[in-house]
Amino acid sequence: MRFFSDNAAPVCPEVIQAMLEANRLDTAYDGDQWSKRLDGAFSDLFGTAVRAIWVPSGTSANALALAALCPPWGGVVCHRDAHIQNDECGAPEFYTHGAKLMIAEGEGAKMTPESVAQVLDLIANDVHRVQPHAISITNATEYGLVYAPGEVAAIGEIARARGLGFHMDGARFANAVAHLGCAPAEVTWRAGVDVLSFGFVKNGGMSAEALVFFKPELAEDTLRRRKRAGLLLSKGRYLAAQILAMLEGDLWLANARAANAGALLLGQAAGERLVHPVEANEVFLRVMPEEAAGLRALGFDFYDWAPGEVRLVTSWDQTEDAIRPLAEAIARL
C-alpha cells in the first residue's frame, strides 16, 4: 500500500546473502577482495575499461563526481528540477568548494541540446563570469522520463565541442536501461558520458551506490576526496558485496523491469490524468486534493508533488497483485 518512495523498499535477499558471505575477516577500507572486483565487473558490464568505487549514498556519488569534473571557480549546467539543484542541501557546491549550478529548462526535467546551448551561449568568456566546466543530466529524470542514447549523445557532443565534463545522475539508471532495452554502454560512454552515478539503493540495494569513471584518470583524486569527506568506510567490503550481488545475473536489470512494469500498470489506469508518459518507475498524476485524500483513506501512501499533482513510485518487490488495488482505485476516480 506504500507508493511513497523506492528508497523505502526492502533490500533484495541476494544482497543480504552477499553481505553475510562478506561477514568475515578481510582487508579494511577498499583493499578487500570484493572492492577489488568492482573495476572488472563494471568494465565487463559497459564493455570498456573503467574505474569504479563504492560510496554510501547518491548524494555523495553526485557530489564527488561533480568535484572530479568542475573546479571551485567553475559551473555545472543542470536542469531546474535536477536532484543536485533541489534535493541535496548544497552538497555539490560544498564538495566542489563553491562551484555554481547553472540552470537550464526542459519538459519533464529533461534538458535538450538547445536548452543547454542557451545557457552556455549567454556566458561571456571573461574573468568576471563563472565559466562552465561540466554538464549534468539525470536518467531517468526527476519526472520519470528517460533520455534515449541519441538524446544523451546530442548533449554529449556539446560537452565535447566545448571542452566540458559530462556527468549522469543515474539514481534510477537501471530503470532507464530497462525501459530503453539497450546496452548500458549506448546511453553512457558511447554517448559521451565521463562519469556515472550508478544507483543501487532504490533498486534493491541496502547502502551502496557506485561511481563509474569512463575516464579512469578521474578516479584517483576522487579516492582522496572520498576519504577527506569521511566517506571511506572501514568495512567497505559490505558495500562492494552489495553491488556485486546486484550485478550478478543482471539482478539490477530484473529488479528495474519489475518496478517499471508496476508503474505501467498504474499509468494505464490513470489515462488522461498522467502528467508525463510512464517510462521508468515513477507515475505523476493530476488529482484534486479531495481525490488524493480519498486514496489515502483507502490506505495508499504517496507524495504530494505539486498543486493538483501527486507522485507514485513502484518498487522492485511490489507484485501485480499488490499494485492492482491502487490501479483500480485510480481508475474509479
Side-chain angles (χ1 to χ4, degrees):
M1 305 290 276
R2 297 203 69 189
F3 297 87
F4 185 82
S5 174
D6 41 8
N7 284 320
V11 177
C12 266
E14 293 89 344
V15 169
I16 296 290
Q17 183 59 39
M19 293 177 70
L20 289 173
E21 292 171 2
N23 192 29
R24 52 190 170 88
L25 181 65
D26 205 293
T27 306
Y29 304 112
D30 59 359
D32 59 273
Q33 59 180 291
W34 294 269
S35 297
K36 288 181 175 180
R37 287 167 51 196
L38 291 180
D39 286 354
F42 281 105
S43 294
D44 289 344
L45 179 66
F46 287 97
T48 191
V50 305
R51 287 290 304 277
I53 66 174
W54 48 255
V55 290
S57 70
T59 293
S60 60
N62 288 338
L64 288 172
L66 295 178
L69 296 174
C70 186
W73 56 88
V76 178
V77 179
C78 68
H79 194 278
R80 178 176 300 280
D81 294 321
H83 202 271
I84 61 172
Q85 163 68 8
N86 294 329
D87 298 289
E88 292 182 345
C89 200
E93 296 93 332
F94 179 78
Y95 279 74
T96 58
H97 297 279
K100 181 180 179 64
L101 298 182
M102 299 170 158
I103 303 306
E105 305 292 344
E107 183 68 19
K110 282 179 74 172
M111 294 192 297
T112 64
E114 293 76 18
S115 68
V116 172
Q118 185 176 34
V119 173
L120 296 174
D121 290 344
L122 291 175
I123 302 170
N125 185 16
D126 65 51
V127 73
H128 303 286
R129 300 291 299 275
V130 170
Q131 297 302 302
H133 280 257
I135 301 170
S136 179
I137 65 173
T138 310
N139 206 13
T141 75
E142 288 72 17
Y143 274 97
L145 298 184
V146 170
Y147 286 91
E151 293 173 312
V152 179
I155 296 175
E157 176 57 27
I158 291 178
R160 186 202 63 77
R162 301 193 185 220
L164 308 178
F166 192 13
H167 166 249
M168 178 179 287
D169 177 352
R172 293 186 175 91
F173 179 71
N175 304 94
V177 173
H179 171 75
L180 293 168
C182 68
E186 298 301 319
V187 75
T188 53
W189 66 271
R190 286 182 182 156
V193 173
D194 297 316
V195 188
L196 167 68
S197 302
F198 196 143
F200 289 94
V201 171
K202 296 181 189 301
N203 197 32
M206 179 177 175
S207 57
E209 312 276 56
L211 264 178
V212 182
F213 293 91
F214 301 109
K215 288 186 174 179
E217 64 273 16
L218 294 173
E220 200 61 35
D221 286 344
T222 302
L223 294 173
R224 290 173 172 80
R225 288 191 183 95
R226 181 178 64 171
K227 171 62 178 180
R228 189 169 185 261
L231 298 169
L232 179 59
L233 305 189
S234 297
K235 298 180 181 180
R237 62 187 180 275
Y238 295 100
L239 279 70
Q242 292 175 53
I243 294 168
L244 292 170
M246 294 288 289
L247 294 180
E248 187 173 353
D250 283 342
L251 178 61
W252 66 280
L253 198 51
N255 282 359
R257 286 171 177 153
N260 286 6
L264 282 174
L265 185 64
L266 296 177
Q268 290 164 1
E272 294 183 356
R273 290 180 179 272
L274 282 178
V275 179
H276 298 286
V278 178
E279 297 180 349
N281 67 322
E282 295 180 284
V283 182
F284 295 84
L285 302 181
R286 298 181 186 89
V287 297
M288 300 298 291
E290 58 271 21
E291 293 174 323
L295 291 174
R296 289 191 172 100
L298 295 173
F300 300 112
D301 179 30
F302 48 87
Y303 188 77
D304 289 322
W305 191 257
E309 190 176 310
V310 301
R311 185 190 74 169
L312 311 171
V313 184
T314 52
S315 302
W316 69 271
D317 64 314
Q318 290 177 311
T319 65
E320 182 176 328
D321 287 343
I323 295 170
R324 190 167 298 283
L326 177 56
E328 292 173 348
I330 291 170
R332 291 194 298 267
L333 290 176

